[in-house]
């Protein structure tokens, strides 16, 4: 009898209606089934169905006005309607993202055209930014684009090794509790608004960086990067270091995720061959995570290229192509938009929008390639998991 | 034969290793030399002293480890030391930002700061506050939430529950891409689309800068974050819950509204709050489309507004001996606000029963 009781849950599958249970229970009790063979499983619903189904179907029929009660088949039209509307609404919500990206490109182009027509210089090769005179506009993004790439490159050079170190520390060195706390600290770094970093960089961090610049210039001044003729201060170095701090958490979080996904078998195989911890990381973790590292670096690059306020507050805002990172100066497309917006007239705004369009295109390309890598990776990961 | 060789070489099977206290001893010695020798004796300053100490530690560790344990183990120790030091390097700016913001922000943390605006405060006046800025931030972010939550949630539902085929793939891909759009581009978009083209229609032909325009720009930034987090949460809802609902005859859309979303709700709320925390700290888009203001303007739909982050930027650029203190206090307020949202979001996430 106890055997029969234990078999009962196996017999009552999810598809069995409540009304059938009584008959099935009696079946199990009568048979006293000691071994649950499949014949008994299939037999019970077949005999039970026709005898009990009739009353359950007829019961709701006298109340046709209650159409909304869950569990009842709704009138066909209404059901299709609700479902259709809901699906349409969600489709619109999803498509909004595509629409917004298309709209960004469209409206930036539309608003950029007037100033580009009035421009008397080559937009891509002219250095200065003087778009406001109505009949005499001269502006170009050459120096801005150079500054954007230079500051982003330095920021990546500084941030990526440190970020990968943190990611490895969190995924393979720290124990779980420490990793949680320290991971939270890195998240906090990501939560600090960029304007606060800008303020900190301008009011506090500028001091140590200036000292460091003087030192660099004293001993390494023969390298063009560290030469200076105009003193030291709000330099590309300061902006790039602030930028490096800001992209650190982005690179860390994605690469940490990738490192954690390294197959345990790969690591254990390396350990079984007598590898030290570093050799495990070099032979198993890093090769496996390489696409993820590339993607995280590109995400960091996207952020670095588009960062505005922190750079507007820390860079010296010049319009030169200068390789010196220690002398005051430097500018980026985004920082220039923030700095020049206040004094821009209608045409000046249009010119700024034109430079923003270039920035949008660059970051779009960078982000799309990063995401394409991650996406391909995801498939690979899924394949490896099965 | 084999047993014989093992007993012969038994003593060498175990590699020689440094004792556990060795790295600590080397570290202590390096600090003593670096700080004691360079900072005080040679007058090199604490920063140079710390750098010398770190370099000494690193070199000594590698040399001693190579001599005792061999090259492979030395490499391992060097890598561990580098990876550990990366962490210290990252924590330093975090601690520095926190310490500076708190110490300099406390100077103006008074009642005036939270109950007054900058109306009529000139460069020579000490008082002034950020009431108008805090109000602006809350209104702009609030409207942005009202816009993005329905839109983002329905987008996530489409991706997870309905989306099949090419459209869903494109949407998913571009949601990811959209998270990387620079905030200044979002600001320029709303500037060109709303402020310069739409708003003149009901403002006598002149472009209208307003708090609502700022919330539109913030919405562009928040939308992908919300879609992404909601999508992840909806995917975590077990399929058996959906199937149970279908088995009871509930149509799919009601199952989504009544069962899937309530189950995923804590996670969705977390995503929204993290997006809010990010949006509250954005400066560039607000600067481009809200115009900035010194007086209290509670109406986001008409007249210029400012926000807490824009207030910081303005004050940092104002030539007045009192402005930096206001900027720092505003920074402290903003960081506290953002951290509050972040921490509450993480706490809510912890209560969620859905786990990866």
């Amino acid at each position: 009898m106890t055997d029969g009781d234990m078999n009962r849950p196996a017999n009552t599958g999810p598809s069995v209606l409540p009304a059938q249970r009584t008959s099935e229970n009696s079946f199990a009790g009568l048979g006293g089934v000691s071994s649950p063979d499949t014949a008994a499983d299939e037999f019970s619903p077949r005999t039970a169905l026709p005898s009990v189904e009739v009353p359950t179907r007829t019961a709701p029929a006298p109340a046709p006005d209650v159409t909304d009660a869950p569990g009842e088949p709704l009138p066909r039209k209404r059901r299709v309607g609700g479902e259709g509307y809901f699906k349409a609404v969600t489709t619109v919500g999803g498509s909004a993202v595509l629409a917004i990206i298309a709209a960004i490109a469209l409206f930036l182009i539309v608003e950029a055209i007037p100033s580009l027509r009035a421009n008397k210089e080559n937009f891509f090769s002219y250095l200065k930014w003087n778009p406001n005179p109505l009949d005499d506009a001269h502006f170009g993004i050459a120096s801005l684009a150079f500054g954007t790439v230079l500051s982003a490159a330095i920021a990546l050079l500084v941030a990526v090794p440190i970020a990968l170190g943190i990611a490895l520390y969190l995924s393979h060195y720290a124990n779980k509790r420490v990793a949680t706390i320290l991971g939270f600290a890195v998240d906090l770094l990501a939560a600090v608004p960029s304007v606060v970093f800008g303020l900190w960089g301008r009011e506090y961090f500028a001091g140590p960086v200036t000292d460091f610049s003087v030192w660099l210039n004293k001993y390494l001044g023969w390298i063009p990067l560290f030469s200076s003729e105009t003193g030291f201060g709000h330099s590309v170095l300061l902006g790039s270091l602030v930028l490096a701090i800001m992209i650190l958490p982005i690179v860390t979080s994605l690469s940490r995720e990738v490192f954690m996904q390294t197959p345990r078998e790969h690591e254990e195989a390396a350990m079984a061959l007598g590898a030290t911890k570093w050799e495990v990381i070099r032979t198993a973790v890093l090769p496996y995570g390489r696409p993820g590292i590339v993607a995280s670096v590109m995400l960091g690059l996207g952020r670095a290229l588009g960062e505005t306020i922190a750079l507007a507050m820390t860079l010296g805002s010049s319009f030169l192509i200068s390789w010196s990172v220690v002398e005051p100066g430097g500018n980026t497309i985004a920082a220039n938009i923030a700095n020049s917006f206040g004094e821009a007239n209608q045409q000046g705004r249009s010119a700024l929008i034109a430079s923003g369009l270039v920035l949008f295109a660059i970051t779009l390309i960078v982000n799309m390639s990063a995401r394409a890598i991650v996406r391909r990776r995801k498939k690979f990961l899924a394949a490896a998991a099965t | 034969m084999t047993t014989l060789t093992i007993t012969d070489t038994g003593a060498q099977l175990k590699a020689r290793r440094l004792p556990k206290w060795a790295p600590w001893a080397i570290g202590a010695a390096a600090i003593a030399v670096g700080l004691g020798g360079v900072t005080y004796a040679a007058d090199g300053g604490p920063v140079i002293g710390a750098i010398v100490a770190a370099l000494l530690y690193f070199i000594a560790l590698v040399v001693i480890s190579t001599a005792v344990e061999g090259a492979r183990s030395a490499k391992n120790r060097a890598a561990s030391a580098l990876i550990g030091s990366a962490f210290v390097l990252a924590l330093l700016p975090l601690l520095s930002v926190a310490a500076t913001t708190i110490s300099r922000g406390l100077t103006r943390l008074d009642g005036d700061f939270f109950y007054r605006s900058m109306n009529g405060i000139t460069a020579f006046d000490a008082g002034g506050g950020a009431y108008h800025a805090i109000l602006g931030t809350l209104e702009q972010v609030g409207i942005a939430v009202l816009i993005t939550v329905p839109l983002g949630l329905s987008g996530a539902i489409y991706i997870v529950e309905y989306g099949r085929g090419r459209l869903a793939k494109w949407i998913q891909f571009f949601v990811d891409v959209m998270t990387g759009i620079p905030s200044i581009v979002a600001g320029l978009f709303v500037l060109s689309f709303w402020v310069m083209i739409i708003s003149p229609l009901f403002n006598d032909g002149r472009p209208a800068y307003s708090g609502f325009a700022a919330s539109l720009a913030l919405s562009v930034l928040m939308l992908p974050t919300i879609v992404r987090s909601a999508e992840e949460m909806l995917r975590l809802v077990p399929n058996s819950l959906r199937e149970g609902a279908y088995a009871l005859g509930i149509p799919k859309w009601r199952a989504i509204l009544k069962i899937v979303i309530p189950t995923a709700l804590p996670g969705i709320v977390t995503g929204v709050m993290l997006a809010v925390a990010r949006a509250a700290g954005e400066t560039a888009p607000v600067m481009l489309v809200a115009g900035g203001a010194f007086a209290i303007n509670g109406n986001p739909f008409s007249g210029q507004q400012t926000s807490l982050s824009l207030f910081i930027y303005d004050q940092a650029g104002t030539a007045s001996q009192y402005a930096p203190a206001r900027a720092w206090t505003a920074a402290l307020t903003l960081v506290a606000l953002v951290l509050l949202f972040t921490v509450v979001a993480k706490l809510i996430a912890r209560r969620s029963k859905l786990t990866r």
Side-chain angles (χ1 to χ4, degrees):
Chain A
M1 211 55 215
T2 47
D3 275 349
D5 283 345
M6 285 175 75
N7 286 334
R8 217 178 289 152
N11 284 343
T12 47
S15 61
V16 178
L17 293 169
Q20 293 171 349
R21 261 188 210 135
T22 45
S23 71
E24 207 202 7
N25 286 349
S26 65
F27 176 80
L30 274 172
V33 201
S34 53
S35 61
D37 50 343
T38 48
D41 273 6
E42 284 182 35
F43 185 59
S44 59
R46 262 186 226 157
T47 46
L49 264 173
S51 60
V52 198
E53 208 178 10
V54 183
T56 46
R57 277 280 164 86
T58 47
D65 50 334
V66 187
T67 49
D68 235 350
E72 310 301 331
L74 294 166
R76 195 163 181 80
K77 245 186 188 169
R78 169 94 191 273
R79 176 172 179 173
V80 169
E83 186 70 30
Y85 288 139
F86 189 71
K87 191 173 174 182
V89 166
T90 61
T91 313
V92 168
S95 311
V97 172
L98 298 180
I100 289 174
I101 290 195
I104 291 176
L106 177 75
F107 281 100
L108 290 188
I109 291 172
V110 166
E111 288 291 327
I113 285 173
S115 70
L116 290 177
R117 284 206 167 151
N119 191 7
K120 301 206 163 156
E121 307 284 347
N122 186 333
F123 180 61
F124 291 104
S125 66
Y126 191 66
L127 293 180
K128 305 272 183 248
W129 192 262
N130 194 13
N132 289 326
L134 281 184
D135 296 323
D136 195 30
H138 297 268
F139 61 93
I141 57 162
S143 63
L144 299 175
F146 174 80
T148 307
V149 173
L150 180 67
S151 55
I154 297 174
L156 282 184
L157 271 181
V158 175
V160 168
I162 297 177
L164 294 184
I166 298 170
L168 281 176
Y169 184 76
L170 289 176
S171 65
H172 284 82
Y173 281 82
N175 67 34
K176 207 172 176 192
R177 185 174 294 173
V178 175
T180 314
I181 297 170
L182 294 180
F184 190 67
V186 174
D187 285 348
L188 286 188
L189 202 57
V192 176
S194 60
V195 69
V196 176
F197 275 120
L199 189 64
W200 174 77
R202 183 195 181 105
E203 303 252 318
Y204 173 79
F205 197 44
V209 171
T210 305
D211 295 345
F212 183 56
S213 304
V214 172
W215 185 83
L216 276 178
N217 180 255
K218 194 171 165 190
Y219 294 103
L220 299 168
W222 47 273
I223 303 175
L225 278 179
F226 305 125
S227 67
S228 169
E229 283 154 16
T230 51
F232 309 92
H234 289 185
S235 59
V236 174
L237 186 65
L238 174 63
S240 305
L241 289 180
V242 171
L243 203 52
I245 296 168
M246 296 177 67
I247 62 176
L248 199 67
I250 298 172
V251 182
T252 303
S253 63
L254 182 60
S255 43
R256 177 193 180 193
E257 205 109 300
V258 176
F259 291 152
M260 300 239 278
Q261 282 169 344
T262 313
R264 191 90 194 117
E265 298 82 18
H266 292 198
E267 291 174 36
E268 281 167 0
M271 281 180 215
L273 292 173
T276 60
K277 190 149 207 171
W278 169 243
E279 285 164 347
V280 170
I281 288 172
R282 203 168 49 84
T283 56
V285 179
L286 289 183
Y288 188 83
R290 190 168 296 140
I293 296 173
V294 172
S296 69
V297 169
M298 296 192 77
L299 284 186
L301 177 64
R303 175 82 193 265
L305 292 173
E307 178 50 46
T308 309
I309 287 296
L311 288 179
M313 293 171 86
T314 50
L315 289 181
S317 173
S318 67
F319 291 96
L320 301 164
I321 289 188
S322 159
W323 282 100
S324 169
V325 298
V326 293
E327 63 183 28
N331 213 338
T332 70
I333 296 177
N336 178 53
I337 296 173
N339 282 331
S340 309
F341 185 76
E343 61 220 30
N345 59 14
Q346 179 90 15
Q347 185 171 298
R349 261 174 243 155
S350 167
L352 291 176
I353 287 172
S355 71
L357 183 64
V358 174
L359 182 65
F360 176 62
I362 296 173
T363 50
L364 205 62
I365 291 168
V366 169
N367 277 304
M368 280 169 78
S369 16
R371 292 302 176 180
I373 294 170
V374 174
R375 214 138 263 264
R376 216 186 311 149
R377 181 66 181 181
K378 213 182 267 173
K379 270 183 208 156
F380 178 40
L381 288 176
T386 49
Chain B
M1 189 64 197
T2 45
T3 48
L4 197 80
T5 47
I6 284 177
T7 47
D8 274 357
T9 56
Q12 289 155 11
L13 264 179
K14 212 169 167 196
R16 289 213 293 158
R17 294 191 61 79
L18 283 176
K20 276 209 168 155
W21 47 264
W24 298 99
I26 297 172
I31 289 174
V33 174
L35 291 187
V38 177
T39 306
Y40 293 105
D43 202 22
V47 176
I48 306 275
I51 292 173
V52 168
L55 282 179
L56 273 182
Y57 171 73
F58 191 71
I59 294 168
L61 188 69
V62 170
V63 169
I64 295 176
S65 176
T66 312
V68 178
E69 301 174 318
R72 284 178 58 212
S73 187
K75 240 185 218 172
N76 186 35
R77 283 189 189 276
S80 303
L82 279 181
I83 287 170
S85 62
F87 216 98
V88 178
L89 272 181
L91 283 183
L92 282 180
L94 181 65
L95 294 178
S96 170
V97 169
T100 322
T101 310
I102 291 173
S103 69
R104 299 191 63 173
L106 285 176
T107 52
R108 271 303 316 276
L109 201 67
D110 48 29
D112 261 13
F113 187 81
F114 292 103
Y115 289 111
R116 290 185 194 279
S117 72
M118 290 298 291
N119 203 4
I121 305 284
T122 65
F124 305 103
D125 295 326
Y131 178 85
H132 60 310
I134 297 172
L135 187 71
T137 293
L138 294 180
E139 283 183 355
Q140 289 154 18
V141 173
I143 295 174
V145 167
L146 290 183
I147 296 172
T148 45
V149 167
L151 209 56
L153 200 52
S154 59
I157 291 172
Y158 174 76
I159 292 172
V160 176
E161 306 284 345
Y162 291 107
R164 302 279 176 273
R166 203 168 286 173
L167 179 65
K169 269 188 189 154
W170 277 105
I171 291 175
Q172 252 179 308
F173 181 72
F174 274 102
V175 166
D176 283 347
V177 170
M178 201 175 162
T179 51
I181 287 183
S183 59
I184 191 97
V185 171
L188 286 176
F189 163 60
V190 174
L191 176 75
S192 57
F193 155 73
W194 181 264
V195 176
M196 286 163 85
I197 293 182
I198 308 273
S199 77
L201 298 180
F202 47 83
N203 194 39
D204 306 332
R206 281 177 291 113
Y209 296 86
S210 65
F212 179 69
S215 24
L216 284 181
L218 296 182
S219 304
V220 173
L221 295 171
M222 285 170 69
L223 183 64
T225 328
I226 290 181
V227 173
R228 199 75 185 76
S229 60
E231 180 198 333
E232 230 152 71
M233 281 302 135
L234 292 180
R235 280 191 203 288
L236 289 180
V237 174
N239 250 338
S240 53
L241 283 183
R242 295 189 182 90
E243 283 159 4
Y246 302 154
L248 292 173
I250 298 173
K252 187 170 183 176
W253 66 282
R254 286 187 63 101
I256 293 169
L257 284 181
K258 298 270 174 184
I259 290 167
V260 177
I261 290 185
T263 314
L265 199 60
I268 295 173
V269 172
T270 300
V272 171
M273 293 189 73
L274 288 178
V276 164
R278 190 192 157 195
E282 288 292 353
T283 314
V286 181
M287 177 174 68
L288 294 190
V289 299
F294 297 108
I296 298 168
N297 173 17
N299 184 359
F301 295 99
S302 120
Q304 302 192 348
Q305 266 195 339
T306 188
S307 78
L308 207 45
S309 46
L310 184 55
F311 179 84
I312 298 171
Y313 181 69
D314 281 342
Q315 291 299 319
T318 302
S320 157
Q321 57 167 320
Y322 305 108
R326 286 194 284 262
W328 278 109
T329 307
L332 182 61
T333 315
L334 182 61
V335 169
L337 194 72
V338 168
L339 284 192
L340 183 75
F341 272 103
T342 312
V343 170
V344 170
K346 303 253 157 166
L347 288 181
I348 294 174
R350 203 172 278 182
R351 293 195 60 180
S352 168
K353 292 189 181 78
L354 301 172
T355 45
R356 270 158 235 258

